[in-house]
Amino acid sequence: DGLSIHLNPLQEAIQPEGEATFSGVLDAIAATVVRLAPLPVLVKEVGFGLAGEDAAALASAGVAAVDVAGAGGTNWALIEGRRDANAGAVAAAFGDWGTPTVEALQAARAVAPELPVVASGGLRDGVDVAKCMALGAAACGLARPFLVAAQADGAGHALATVLTQLRIATWAAGEATPGALVIEAVRA
């Protein structure tokens, strides 16, 4: 058990009823970490990539982990633009906004090497998971392949496929487990 806090500034800025004031958020997160201890607090960006300096600040605030949730997956700005016609024109400009997952993952690992980092945002298969694990992700998150498969009542098959892809990628890289997938640049 623990708490996951989602950071969604761009989504809030586009929502007609959004709350785009984020001053004091870091202090509130730090206070939440203290209040919930020993339960872990994870902080997740929602699809535009967590900046390295933000990962470092969150590590200093005592969070247990971060999810960088980079660009390439669900774009909540575009979803808000579809939800409200007046927001559509504003949201359209942010269609390719954000830091890709791999860049966000690398930045977080560089500034906070002891902080567990979850890689999500645009991961589509087991090979993407293997690559992120090799770059130092503690875990990975995928949604699209399972959501698409679930519409055809095939989520179990999709999960089996992703796991098989991950097993093969791990084996092809010469490792016994996905956790052993570490590129030399990360080890250094």
Side-chain angles (χ1 to χ4, degrees):
D1 291 338
L3 178 68
S4 178
I5 298 172
H6 292 200
L7 302 178
N8 63 339
L10 184 55
Q11 179 184 6
E12 292 287 340
I14 291 176
Q15 288 176 347
E17 70 281 5
E19 176 56 60
T21 302
F22 276 73
S23 61
V25 167
L26 184 60
D27 290 338
I29 290 171
T32 301
V33 167
V34 170
R35 182 168 182 202
L36 292 181
L39 296 175
V41 174
L42 174 134
V43 175
K44 174 187 175 31
E45 221 293 332
V46 298
F48 299 102
L50 189 67
E53 57 268 19
D54 292 333
L58 290 164
S60 294
V63 303
V66 296
D67 183 340
V68 295
T74 303
N75 183 315
W76 288 99
L78 295 179
I79 289 172
E80 292 299 336
R82 290 184 190 129
R83 192 173 68 83
D84 181 83
N86 294 327
V90 174
F94 297 95
D96 62 354
W97 188 265
T99 304
T101 300
V102 167
E103 290 177 32
L105 170 60
Q106 291 173 315
R109 297 287 296 135
V111 299
E114 300 305 316
L115 182 66
V117 178
V118 177
S120 68
L123 280 66
R124 298 287 189 253
D125 55 43
V127 174
D128 287 346
V129 171
K131 289 175 183 178
C132 287
M133 297 294 289
L135 291 170
C140 296
L142 297 86
R144 181 171 173 73
F146 305 124
L147 290 172
V148 170
Q151 292 174 336
D153 199 28
H157 177 70
L159 178 59
T161 299
V162 169
L163 290 174
T164 298
Q165 293 163 342
L166 178 58
R167 284 184 189 110
I168 292 171
T170 301
W171 170 79
E175 297 296 349
T177 66
L181 291 168
V182 179
I183 60 172
E184 291 301 318
V186 174
R187 288 184 185 148

